[in-house]
Amino acid sequence: AVKRGDLARVRELVKSDPALLNSRTKRGLSPVLVAIYSGQKVAAANLIAMGADLDIHDAAATGRLDRVKALVERDPSLANAVSPEGFAPMGLAAYLGHEEVVEYLVSKGAEVNFTSAPTGFTALTGAVNSRHTRIVDLLLQHGAEVNHVYEGTLTPLVNAVANGDANLVRVLLDHGADPNLGAYEGKSALDLAMEKGLKEIADALRQRGATKWQPGTAKGAAPIATPDARGFMEKVRKAMNTHDLEGLLTLIDAEYQSEQPAHPDRAFQGREQVRKNWGTIFERVPNLRADIIRIAVDGDTLWTEWWWHGVRVDGTKFDYRGITLFRVWNERVVAGRLYMEPVQERKKEGPYGGPP
C-alpha cells in the first residue's frame, strides 16, 4: 500500500495495527523510507503525521531538519551512523536533495567521503546522480573527492555527462574533476558528450584537457616497424604534394579523431571534416608543398616533424612548421594530434640586434 501510495489503505492498516508505523522490512527499511524510495512523498508525509517515529536516516531522507538536529544534539555519533543498507544520513540527504540537512551534518562532523560498502556510493555521487548542483558544490567545498571511482569505472563527472547536465559538468570541472578519468559502458566523458551531440559539454571537457588520445595500442594493433612507418608517411606526404584529396582520405579512418591541444576548439571527429579542411587548403594554396624533416615511432604512434609551405592565391605566404602525432591501425590514421603553427617572420636587425 505504501509503495502504491494508497493512502486510504495505509490509514486503514495503521488504524488496525499502529505498530506498523515503526515496523521494518527484511532490508531494515521503515515504512517512511519505503515511501520515499518509491517516490511516494505524500504517503511518507502521512505516515509521519500519523506518528511514525523517525530515526536519523528517516529524518535525513525526508529532510526533517528539526528532527535531525534533535537526534544529533542528543547523540553526535548519529551524524555518521550507518543504516542497515550501508548508507550514512548525509548520503541520503544529498541524494534526495535536502541541502539544509547536508549543510548541518557537515557542520557536525559528518564524513564527507563516507563510502557505502555495497555500492561505492558517496554523498557526492548521490547528489550528482540526482542532479542537485547546489549540494554538489557544497560537498566539494568541504572536501568531497571529485574523482571518486565507483561501480568499476564511473566517476561523478562521467555521470553528469551521461545525464547531459552542462552546469553540473562545469561545477565538477571547476573543482578539479579529471576529464579523462572513468567511463560508462566503455565510453569516456568526451565520448559520451560527442555521441549525444552535447557540444557545450564537449567543448568544456576539451578546454580542461579531455582527449581521445589514450595511451596504448590503437584497437589492439601491433607496433609499427620503422620502415613501414616511413612508407606510410611518404604516402601521406605524396597525397599532400599532389593535392590528391581522395588518396589522402584513403589513409584516414572513417571515425578519425583530431585534436590540437593548443587550440581545443579545433578538435573534430570524422573523415568528412578532413575532406573539408584539406580541400580548402588545396584550393587556397595551389602550390602547397609538404616536407618531412624527420620521423620517430613509438608503438602505434608516428611522430613526424613537418614543413608545410607555399603561397596562397591572395599572394600571402603559407608557412607552417611543427609536429603531428598519428596513431595508425590497419594502414589508416585513427587519431591525430597536431602541433602545427605558422612560422614567425624574422625581424630585420643590424649586427648588434638594433635596426639595420
Side-chain angles (χ1 to χ4, degrees):
V2 169
K3 290 182 178 179
R4 296 194 307 272
D6 187 343
L7 297 181
R9 181 59 177 157
V10 168
R11 293 190 188 100
E12 181 182 330
L13 289 169
V14 170
K15 185 176 181 180
S16 63
D17 184 1
L20 289 174
L21 276 175
N22 297 308
S23 61
R24 298 281 167 170
T25 67
K26 291 180 180 179
R27 290 167 54 195
L29 301 182
S30 69
V32 170
L33 268 185
V34 170
I36 290 296
Y37 287 174
S38 303
Q40 303 292 345
K41 293 182 180 180
V42 174
N46 272 263
L47 289 167
I48 294 171
M50 284 186 279
D53 185 21
L54 302 182
D55 66 14
I56 188 64
H57 300 100
D58 297 332
T62 53
R64 300 299 171 114
L65 180 60
D66 54 346
R67 177 61 174 166
V68 170
K69 285 183 175 181
L71 291 169
V72 173
E73 295 300 329
R74 188 185 311 155
D75 182 358
S77 70
L78 290 177
N80 288 302
V82 181
S83 73
E85 290 184 296
F87 298 119
M90 187 160 66
L92 292 170
Y95 174 66
L96 293 161
H98 303 306
E99 183 179 354
E100 289 185 343
V101 174
V102 172
E103 192 168 20
Y104 171 76
L105 289 170
V106 167
S107 74
K108 291 299 178 178
E111 173 54 55
V112 174
N113 289 307
F114 173 81
T115 303
S116 174
T119 61
F121 294 164
T122 65
L124 180 63
T125 66
V128 168
N129 191 64
S130 297
R131 304 173 69 172
H132 299 308
T133 305
R134 286 172 56 90
I135 293 178
V136 168
D137 190 48
L138 172 64
L139 291 169
L140 291 169
Q141 288 180 36
H142 287 86
E145 175 51 63
V146 70
N147 290 313
H148 175 67
V149 180
Y150 60 107
E151 292 192 343
T153 61
L154 279 180
T155 66
L157 181 63
V158 169
N159 196 348
V161 174
N163 287 332
D165 194 323
N167 188 38
L168 193 49
V169 166
R170 281 192 294 271
V171 169
L172 291 165
L173 289 172
D174 286 344
H175 284 276
D178 183 346
N180 295 309
L181 180 67
Y184 174 69
E185 296 183 348
K187 298 171 185 175
S188 69
L190 183 57
D191 289 331
L192 291 169
M194 295 174 67
E195 181 183 85
K196 294 172 177 287
L198 304 171
K199 185 178 185 303
E200 182 183 355
I201 290 178
D203 288 346
L205 291 169
R206 288 195 186 100
Q207 287 167 6
R208 300 303 178 93
T211 177
K212 287 187 67 64
W213 194 274
Q214 298 299 327
T217 301
K219 300 184 179 181
I224 302 168
T226 301
D228 294 339
R230 294 186 183 281
F232 181 83
M233 292 311 300
E234 180 58 28
K235 292 178 184 178
V236 175
R237 188 194 69 81
K238 184 178 179 180
M240 289 179 176
N241 286 340
T242 59
H243 289 203
D244 181 4
L245 183 56
E246 296 305 320
L248 180 61
L249 292 174
T250 62
L251 303 172
I252 307 297
D253 190 78
E255 297 181 1
Y256 170 73
Q257 297 281 343
S258 177
E259 58 184 68
Q260 297 184 44
H263 306 281
D265 58 328
R266 297 180 188 174
F268 65 86
Q269 177 180 12
R271 187 164 51 200
E272 283 309 302
Q273 189 61 46
V274 176
R275 179 191 297 278
K276 292 177 183 178
N277 291 352
W278 279 97
T280 299
I281 292 173
F282 291 157
E283 180 182 339
R284 294 181 179 177
V285 189
N287 66 339
L288 171 73
R289 180 172 178 80
D291 294 329
I292 294 176
I293 310 302
R294 58 179 58 85
I295 296 174
V297 181
D298 178 17
D300 59 9
T301 302
L302 307 183
W303 293 61
T304 308
E305 182 180 357
W306 291 94
W307 180 25
W308 299 342
H309 54 103
V311 179
R312 297 183 181 89
V313 291
D314 63 3
T316 59
K317 184 187 292 187
F318 180 87
D319 194 3
Y320 279 71
R321 287 179 181 263
I323 305 292
T324 63
L325 282 68
F326 290 149
R327 298 188 69 199
V328 179
W329 178 74
N330 197 25
E331 287 291 305
R332 287 201 173 109
V333 180
V334 297
R337 263 186 159 177
L338 279 66
Y339 297 88
M340 299 295 297
E341 296 291 335
V343 177
Q344 183 178 354
E345 295 229 18
R346 290 179 179 274
K347 295 181 180 180
K348 292 182 179 180
E349 296 179 341
Y352 302 106

